[in-house]
Structures are given as C-alpha cells and as structure tokens.
Amino acid sequence: MLQVFLDTETTGIETGACVIELAAIMVEDNEIIDTFHRYAKPYRPINPAAQAAHGITDEFLSDKPEEKEMLKDFIEWVEGAGEVREIFAYNAQFDIRIINDRIKMDYLRENNFFDKYKIIDVAKYAKLAIKNGVIPKNGRKWNQEYVASCLDITYNAHSAIEDVKAMMKIYDKLRYRVEVK
C-alpha cells in the first residue's frame, strides 16, 4: 500500500492563501520510493508573519512556476503512482484544506481531491502521546517542533521537505506507542 506524507508552506493562514512550497514523500512498505518538492510563485504577496515563520520571500519565488502548475504536477504525481490509500500531514486539516481550496481556485478539480484517500493527522498521535505521558506536557504545546524535540528528532523547521521528513520520524516513533481511533 502506498502512503504519502505531505507538508506545505503558504503565503499565510487566511482564506485564499497560496501554496508556495509543497513537499511530499511516497512510501511503500516503510521504504521511500519517490519524493515531490516544488516551490511556486504565488498570486498574492506573502504575509509578513508567514514569511517570518518559513523565511521564503516573494523575491525567491519570482522566477518559480505558478502555483497552478505546481498543483497540477502534484495531482499527476499522486494519481500516477497507483494505489495511494493514505495521506499523512501534521495538522492535516490545514494542509488538506488549503491544497483543496487552491486546486478548486485554479480550476484543476471541482470536487475534493483528497476524498478518495484516508487522511491521517500525525498531530493526533502527538496530542495522544502528550495526554498519555509519552511526551511531557508543556502547556497546550503540541506543535511539530516541540514534539520532534521531545523525541530527539532534529531538523530545519518550516521547510516543507524537512517538515515532512521530521513528521515521518514522529509518526514512526509514535504509531506503536499510542492508538488513534
């Protein structure tokens, strides 16, 4: 069974924000079989708060393909792989929503692209690990950076490709330690 782990960086968190970096790693039987990683020129400027988080600038993206092309390539990559059944993301609701919204806005699909896949939110594993004492409580903090540090995973946060790699490690360390229903 093929699984896809994905992450995005965006122009912001507001409705209509653009996807400016999309990274995904395809896995079969716990082996990486393919990687997708693209940047895209957004249709709107990057929100200063978003830029402060991920460090991606409008200038860096100025010569990149348009978002529509990146999303088209991503759809073809996923659908061309065969039997993808599960898609993983950390705080999946955000990534899935924003990718779907942009796919619809770019007229690439009318329906929800992700409907045919089981979506697995790795953040749910982290929240359960904190609740069950596997990871120490730190207020309401369960973001990926905090969870990764508790699991001795170091990485360059807020790079979509590095976030995906860290998320895969988090999932691997937690999937047998907590049960998400």
Side-chain angles (χ1 to χ4, degrees), residues 70-110:
M70 175 185 64
L71 293 172
K72 183 177 176 228
D73 290 347
F74 176 71
I75 291 168
E76 290 173 0
W77 181 77
V78 172
E79 291 180 341
E83 290 295 315
V84 173
R85 298 247 172 90
E86 298 173 330
I87 296 187
F88 295 75
Y90 202 95
N91 294 323
Q93 183 178 358
F94 175 78
D95 291 299
I96 299 306
R97 178 188 56 82
I98 201 158
I99 292 170
N100 265 325
D101 286 353
R102 297 311 304 176
I103 285 172
K104 289 176 186 175
M105 287 181 189
D106 289 335
Y107 305 105
L108 297 171
R109 289 277 196 292
E110 289 182 18

Side-chain angles (χ1 to χ4, degrees), residues 125-165:
Y125 287 83
K127 289 176 189 177
L128 219 64
I130 292 168
K131 181 181 177 184
N132 295 341
V134 174
I135 294 173
K137 284 186 180 179
N138 187 7
R140 292 183 41 146
K141 199 170 190 178
W142 47 266
N143 67 41
Q144 184 167 308
E145 287 175 84
Y146 172 70
V147 172
S149 70
C150 291
L151 297 171
D152 296 321
I153 298 166
T154 56
Y155 73 107
N156 178 20
H158 301 294
S159 153
I161 192 66
E162 295 303 317
D163 286 349
V164 170
K165 292 174 185 176

Side-chain angles (χ1 to χ4, degrees), residues 1 6 15 27 31 50 53-54 64 100 105 110 114 129 135 153 157 164 166 173:
M1 169 179 50
L6 68 82
T15 301
V27 175
E31 295 292 325
H54 53 57
K64 304 297 184 249
N100 265 325
M105 287 181 189
E110 289 182 18
F114 294 100
I135 294 173
I153 298 166
V164 170
K173 288 188 176 204

Side-chain angles (χ1 to χ4, degrees), residues 9-11 20-21 39 46-61 156-160 163:
E9 297 300 337
T10 64
T11 57
I20 57 174
E21 183 184 13
Y39 291 95
I46 299 170
N47 178 302
Q51 184 174 327
H54 53 57
I56 300 170
T57 65
D58 289 312
E59 182 180 8
F60 171 76
L61 298 172
N156 178 20
H158 301 294
S159 153
D163 286 349

